[in-house]
Amino acid sequence: MTQLIDTFGRNIDYVRLSVTDRCDLRCVYCMPEGFKDFDTPENWLNFDEIERVIAVFGRLGVSHIRLTGGEPLVRKNIPELASRLAALEGIEDLSLSTNAVQLRKHAESLHKAGVSRINVSLDSLQADRFKAITKGKLSKVLDGLMAAKAAGLSPIKINMVVMKGINDDEVEDMVDFCIEHDFTLRFIETMPMGETGLDASDRYVNLQDVRSRLEQRFELIPGVMPGGGPARYVQVAGTEVRIGFITPISQHFCETCNRVRLSAEGTLYLCLGQDDKLELRPLLRSGISDEGLEEAIITAIARKPERHEFNDKPSQIVRLMSKTGG
Ligand code: SAM
Ligand code: SF4
């Protein structure tokens, strides 16, 4: 079977697909307040174009697609796109990253369309604080989460970006919340992602310290769910709940990177922290053949950088996470 293997021997089998760079929230670490400089919808790949590109990736050995953004649920008809992608040969795993603001109305149709599991951003369980971090309403997110659970989406993973002096006192509460609802919890170190209005280095919390703190209250069993993504997991003893630590800053995981990111405008980014890319939209709109597309993608993968440089060059990235397809 064809596989996408880069020059460092990594097998690329995962595409994070951004369907829009827009969002109905304004998380402090992701988008500047009042930000409006969005891509124009005419430049977004349409569903036919997305389906064609993902079909090519499927033939090249990619099996996991994650719908993301921006906020994927602000784009119309995402369940329709999901069912088209889920039906493609080779695509075995279709997942979604969402802020859950609009999940309540979409949970069931997404599940029916073939989305099996979801990741939900949730940085605080306190309504005032949630609003200060995201400008949104916590109750909508909680409603969305409960609808997802009722619809049978599983596992549901909560992503919490831990920020010093903003929400780092809530890590234990978040563990309790996930135990109560049987959600997987992932703590994420804040990354410097362009001019967002938050000084990432100022708010940085080392997740090794968070883990030590949790160990005072919970018995954590290490080494569960090995392989796969960037999180290192432990299990809370006496429960089914897993806690992952995503540490792009304190311990980067580039040597096992298995992914590339496709932006809403059709730019294939080869690394979250570097500018190496392939513009697919002009190729698609100038009538390239499927074989030509395959070749362009294989050639691009050969240029995938070895690693990001968030520590050495924290100011290097000028691209917002919402644009890259975080
Ligand atoms: N809107 C969806 C959401 O919030 O889940 C999907 C897109 S969002 C860009 C994907 C993930 O990136 C979220 O879990 C968010 O917390 C994370 N993220 C965004 N900016 C970040 C940053 N500067 N550092 C760490 N994580 C970040
Ligand atoms: Fe929107 Fe997700 Fe970025 Fe928050 S992290 S502003 S929800 S895209």
Side-chain angles (χ1 to χ4, degrees):
M1 196 188 81
T2 317
Q3 285 187 318
L4 288 171
I5 311 278
D6 76 359
T7 44
F8 303 97
R10 297 171 298 194
N11 181 7
I12 310 306
D13 60 4
Y14 175 21
V15 173
R16 293 182 67 102
L17 169 65
S18 173
V19 290
T20 175
D21 63 337
R22 291 170 195 238
C23 187
D24 42 7
L25 293 184
R26 290 286 180 278
C27 300
V28 279
Y29 46 75
C30 182
M31 251 187 232
E33 203 176 339
F35 181 79
K36 290 209 175 68
D37 186 19
F38 294 110
D39 300 338
T40 45
E42 300 82 71
N43 286 342
W44 292 349
L45 297 191
N46 62 39
F47 285 3
D48 291 340
E49 291 168 328
I50 294 174
E51 188 180 17
R52 188 166 168 226
V53 172
I54 300 302
V56 168
F57 272 112
R59 286 198 290 280
L60 292 173
V62 166
S63 56
H64 177 195
I65 304 294
R66 175 174 295 277
L67 299 165
T68 182
E71 172 47 42
L73 298 183
V74 304
R75 184 150 177 190
K76 284 201 191 97
N77 302 326
I78 286 302
E80 180 206 325
L81 177 67
S83 66
R84 288 171 69 171
L85 299 184
L88 293 173
E89 210 182 309
I91 306 306
E92 290 159 9
D93 184 10
L94 185 64
S95 60
L96 170 83
S97 284
T98 175
N99 61 28
V101 169
Q102 302 192 44
L103 189 56
R104 187 179 167 177
K105 63 173 181 274
H106 293 303
E108 198 149 337
S109 49
L110 284 165
H111 192 224
K112 279 193 185 130
V115 173
S116 52
R117 56 204 181 88
I118 57 167
N119 290 0
V120 173
S121 288
L122 182 59
D123 299 322
S124 175
L125 294 165
Q126 300 173 21
D128 289 1
R129 193 181 271 185
F130 182 84
K131 187 160 190 99
I133 298 171
T134 68
K135 311 285 173 299
K137 231 174 149 186
L138 177 65
S139 58
K140 282 194 178 171
V141 173
L142 297 179
D143 285 354
L145 273 169
M146 298 314 139
K149 199 172 160 180
L153 288 157
S154 173
I156 295 174
K157 294 183 185 167
I158 302 294
N159 283 340
M160 176 181 186
V161 176
V162 185
M163 293 164 281
K164 187 163 75 194
I166 295 183
N167 64 352
D168 56 340
D169 58 346
E170 276 193 74
V171 293
E172 287 91 351
D173 291 352
M174 204 59 92
V175 174
D176 286 332
F177 175 77
C178 289
I179 291 174
E180 185 187 341
H181 294 288
D182 200 19
F183 297 149
T184 297
L185 173 58
R186 290 140 35 108
F187 296 115
I188 306 179
E189 288 179 345
T190 318
M191 290 177 268
M193 295 303 300
E195 296 294 321
T196 60
L198 181 87
D199 183 342
S201 57
D202 214 34
R203 297 298 178 178
Y204 172 72
V205 177
N206 186 322
L207 292 185
Q208 318 297 329
D209 298 340
V210 170
R211 182 169 166 172
S212 306
R213 217 175 90 194
L214 291 175
E215 279 166 344
Q216 318 269 320
R217 233 197 87 190
F218 304 95
E219 188 189 337
L220 304 179
I221 306 165
V224 290
M225 294 176 31
R232 293 177 171 84
Y233 281 96
V234 296
Q235 184 162 349
V236 184
T239 75
E240 291 299 307
V241 169
R242 272 118 193 226
I243 303 177
F245 299 86
I246 302 183
T247 55
I249 307 296
S250 64
Q251 278 179 292
H252 74 78
F253 31 77
C254 304
E255 64 281 359
T256 56
C257 184
N258 63 344
R259 62 202 59 194
V260 289
R261 294 172 159 83
L262 181 60
S263 79
E265 289 193 307
T267 307
L268 186 69
Y269 288 105
L270 302 167
C271 171
L272 180 63
Q274 303 280 6
D275 204 33
D276 305 73
K277 59 190 172 205
L278 166 68
E279 299 293 356
L280 284 170
R281 179 165 40 96
L283 300 180
L284 289 164
R285 295 189 182 170
S286 63
I288 192 170
S289 66
D290 280 359
E291 292 69 32
L293 260 184
E294 274 185 31
E295 223 173 287
I297 289 171
I298 291 169
T299 310
I301 295 295
R303 292 191 282 114
K304 184 171 164 65
E306 184 175 12
R307 47 172 301 214
H308 71 65
E309 294 170 299
F310 288 136
N311 287 328
D312 317 336
K313 302 180 190 163
S315 55
Q316 175 177 276
I317 293 308
V318 288
R319 204 166 64 227
L320 294 174
M321 189 82 131
S322 53
K323 193 162 180 74
T324 305

mmCIF file of all heavy atoms in Angstrom, residues 22-27 29-31 69-71 98-99 121 134 321-322, ligand 2:
data_model
loop_
_atom_site.group_PDB
_atom_site.id
_atom_site.type_symbol
_atom_site.label_atom_id
_atom_site.label_comp_id
_atom_site.label_asym_id
_atom_site.label_seq_id
_atom_site.Cartn_x
_atom_site.Cartn_y
_atom_site.Cartn_z
ATOM 1 N N ARG A 22 -12.811 31.172 10.653
ATOM 2 C CA ARG A 22 -13.692 31.993 11.495
ATOM 3 C C ARG A 22 -14.043 31.284 12.784
ATOM 4 O O ARG A 22 -13.950 30.061 12.874
ATOM 5 C CB ARG A 22 -14.983 32.328 10.757
ATOM 6 C CG ARG A 22 -14.684 33.267 9.630
ATOM 7 C CD ARG A 22 -15.844 33.463 8.700
ATOM 8 N NE ARG A 22 -15.301 34.073 7.503
ATOM 9 C CZ ARG A 22 -15.705 35.246 7.005
ATOM 10 N NH1 ARG A 22 -16.704 35.890 7.548
ATOM 11 N NH2 ARG A 22 -15.118 35.741 5.932
ATOM 12 N N CYS A 23 -14.535 32.052 13.746
ATOM 13 C CA CYS A 23 -14.903 31.432 15.014
ATOM 14 C C CYS A 23 -15.919 32.303 15.735
ATOM 15 O O CYS A 23 -15.918 33.524 15.579
ATOM 16 C CB CYS A 23 -13.669 31.253 15.880
ATOM 17 S SG CYS A 23 -14.024 30.305 17.371
ATOM 18 N N ASP A 24 -16.777 31.649 16.514
ATOM 19 C CA ASP A 24 -17.762 32.386 17.306
ATOM 20 C C ASP A 24 -17.258 32.652 18.727
ATOM 21 O O ASP A 24 -18.003 33.151 19.559
ATOM 22 C CB ASP A 24 -19.110 31.631 17.322
ATOM 23 C CG ASP A 24 -18.955 30.135 17.507
ATOM 24 O OD1 ASP A 24 -17.830 29.675 17.749
ATOM 25 O OD2 ASP A 24 -19.976 29.420 17.415
ATOM 26 N N LEU A 25 -15.987 32.319 18.992
ATOM 27 C CA LEU A 25 -15.349 32.724 20.247
ATOM 28 C C LEU A 25 -14.080 33.507 19.918
ATOM 29 O O LEU A 25 -13.667 33.578 18.759
ATOM 30 C CB LEU A 25 -15.005 31.496 21.100
ATOM 31 C CG LEU A 25 -16.178 30.678 21.656
ATOM 32 C CD1 LEU A 25 -15.660 29.561 22.550
ATOM 33 C CD2 LEU A 25 -17.173 31.546 22.420
ATOM 34 N N ARG A 26 -13.462 34.060 20.959
ATOM 35 C CA ARG A 26 -12.198 34.785 20.799
ATOM 36 C C ARG A 26 -11.275 34.419 21.950
ATOM 37 O O ARG A 26 -11.024 35.224 22.840
ATOM 38 C CB ARG A 26 -12.446 36.321 20.814
ATOM 39 C CG ARG A 26 -13.167 36.875 19.611
ATOM 40 C CD ARG A 26 -12.232 36.905 18.391
ATOM 41 N NE ARG A 26 -12.916 37.438 17.214
ATOM 42 C CZ ARG A 26 -13.719 36.726 16.428
ATOM 43 N NH1 ARG A 26 -13.967 35.455 16.690
ATOM 44 N NH2 ARG A 26 -14.272 37.279 15.376
ATOM 45 N N CYS A 27 -10.809 33.171 21.949
ATOM 46 C CA CYS A 27 -9.955 32.729 23.054
ATOM 47 C C CYS A 27 -8.669 33.570 23.068
ATOM 48 O O CYS A 27 -8.067 33.786 22.013
ATOM 49 C CB CYS A 27 -9.614 31.261 22.905
ATOM 50 S SG CYS A 27 -11.089 30.240 22.917
ATOM 51 N N TYR A 29 -5.635 33.110 23.760
ATOM 52 C CA TYR A 29 -4.368 32.566 23.263
ATOM 53 C C TYR A 29 -4.433 32.262 21.771
ATOM 54 O O TYR A 29 -3.458 31.838 21.171
ATOM 55 C CB TYR A 29 -4.016 31.270 24.019
ATOM 56 C CG TYR A 29 -5.188 30.319 24.162
ATOM 57 C CD1 TYR A 29 -5.635 29.572 23.097
ATOM 58 C CD2 TYR A 29 -5.877 30.228 25.373
ATOM 59 C CE1 TYR A 29 -6.713 28.729 23.212
ATOM 60 C CE2 TYR A 29 -6.967 29.375 25.509
ATOM 61 C CZ TYR A 29 -7.375 28.632 24.420
ATOM 62 O OH TYR A 29 -8.454 27.815 24.528
ATOM 63 N N CYS A 30 -5.602 32.455 21.175
ATOM 64 C CA CYS A 30 -5.792 32.013 19.792
ATOM 65 C C CYS A 30 -6.064 33.152 18.822
ATOM 66 O O CYS A 30 -5.511 33.187 17.732
ATOM 67 C CB CYS A 30 -6.925 30.997 19.749
ATOM 68 S SG CYS A 30 -7.246 30.318 18.117
ATOM 69 N N MET A 31 -6.953 34.093 19.199
ATOM 70 C CA MET A 31 -7.345 35.150 18.264
ATOM 71 C C MET A 31 -7.357 36.496 18.978
ATOM 72 O O MET A 31 -7.917 36.594 20.066
ATOM 73 C CB MET A 31 -8.778 34.892 17.787
ATOM 74 C CG MET A 31 -8.879 34.451 16.374
ATOM 75 S SD MET A 31 -10.603 34.392 15.875
ATOM 76 C CE MET A 31 -10.671 32.751 15.234
ATOM 77 N N GLY A 69 -10.672 24.092 12.799
ATOM 78 C CA GLY A 69 -10.745 25.446 12.284
ATOM 79 C C GLY A 69 -9.688 26.297 12.989
ATOM 80 O O GLY A 69 -8.685 25.771 13.458
ATOM 81 N N GLY A 70 -10.063 27.508 13.231
ATOM 82 C CA GLY A 70 -11.323 28.142 13.458
ATOM 83 C C GLY A 70 -12.312 27.205 14.138
ATOM 84 O O GLY A 70 -11.957 26.169 14.646
ATOM 85 N N GLU A 71 -13.555 27.612 14.101
ATOM 86 C CA GLU A 71 -14.575 26.745 14.673
ATOM 87 C C GLU A 71 -15.316 26.046 13.532
ATOM 88 O O GLU A 71 -16.062 26.695 12.787
ATOM 89 C CB GLU A 71 -15.532 27.577 15.547
ATOM 90 C CG GLU A 71 -16.745 26.823 16.052
ATOM 91 C CD GLU A 71 -16.392 25.439 16.640
ATOM 92 O OE1 GLU A 71 -15.395 25.313 17.357
ATOM 93 O OE2 GLU A 71 -17.139 24.483 16.357
ATOM 94 N N THR A 98 -13.876 21.048 18.404
ATOM 95 C CA THR A 98 -14.879 22.112 18.442
ATOM 96 C C THR A 98 -14.863 22.821 19.787
ATOM 97 O O THR A 98 -14.431 22.242 20.793
ATOM 98 C CB THR A 98 -16.289 21.535 18.167
ATOM 99 O OG1 THR A 98 -17.261 22.573 18.327
ATOM 100 C CG2 THR A 98 -16.632 20.386 19.111
ATOM 101 N N ASN A 99 -15.370 24.060 19.775
ATOM 102 C CA ASN A 99 -15.547 24.747 21.058
ATOM 103 C C ASN A 99 -16.898 24.388 21.675
ATOM 104 O O ASN A 99 -17.212 24.836 22.773
ATOM 105 C CB ASN A 99 -15.399 26.261 20.888
ATOM 106 C CG ASN A 99 -16.425 26.866 19.936
ATOM 107 O OD1 ASN A 99 -17.529 26.365 19.771
ATOM 108 N ND2 ASN A 99 -16.065 27.981 19.305
ATOM 109 N N SER A 121 -12.714 22.176 23.436
ATOM 110 C CA SER A 121 -11.933 23.125 24.237
ATOM 111 C C SER A 121 -12.746 23.569 25.425
ATOM 112 O O SER A 121 -13.895 24.001 25.269
ATOM 113 C CB SER A 121 -11.643 24.383 23.403
ATOM 114 O OG SER A 121 -10.716 24.107 22.430
ATOM 115 N N THR A 134 -12.699 33.430 26.791
ATOM 116 C CA THR A 134 -13.172 33.079 25.432
ATOM 117 C C THR A 134 -14.168 34.083 24.828
ATOM 118 O O THR A 134 -14.471 34.004 23.654
ATOM 119 C CB THR A 134 -13.918 31.728 25.458
ATOM 120 O OG1 THR A 134 -15.140 31.911 26.189
ATOM 121 C CG2 THR A 134 -13.109 30.628 26.105
ATOM 122 N N MET A 321 -3.325 30.259 15.127
ATOM 123 C CA MET A 321 -3.719 28.851 15.204
ATOM 124 C C MET A 321 -5.007 28.628 14.415
ATOM 125 O O MET A 321 -5.189 27.605 13.757
ATOM 126 C CB MET A 321 -3.942 28.509 16.675
ATOM 127 C CG MET A 321 -4.141 27.070 16.933
ATOM 128 S SD MET A 321 -2.574 26.242 17.015
ATOM 129 C CE MET A 321 -2.765 25.323 18.504
ATOM 130 N N SER A 322 -5.922 29.616 14.481
ATOM 131 C CA SER A 322 -7.213 29.457 13.811
ATOM 132 C C SER A 322 -7.042 29.362 12.293
ATOM 133 O O SER A 322 -7.884 28.842 11.592
ATOM 134 C CB SER A 322 -8.120 30.636 14.158
ATOM 135 O OG SER A 322 -7.452 31.846 13.877
HETATM 136 FE FE1 SF4 B 2 -12.087 29.704 18.365
HETATM 137 FE FE2 SF4 B 2 -10.988 27.369 18.973
HETATM 138 FE FE3 SF4 B 2 -9.465 29.541 18.605
HETATM 139 FE FE4 SF4 B 2 -11.006 29.425 20.730
HETATM 140 S S1 SF4 B 2 -9.306 28.032 20.263
HETATM 141 S S2 SF4 B 2 -10.807 31.204 19.346
HETATM 142 S S3 SF4 B 2 -12.728 28.340 20.000
HETATM 143 S S4 SF4 B 2 -10.678 28.540 17.082
#
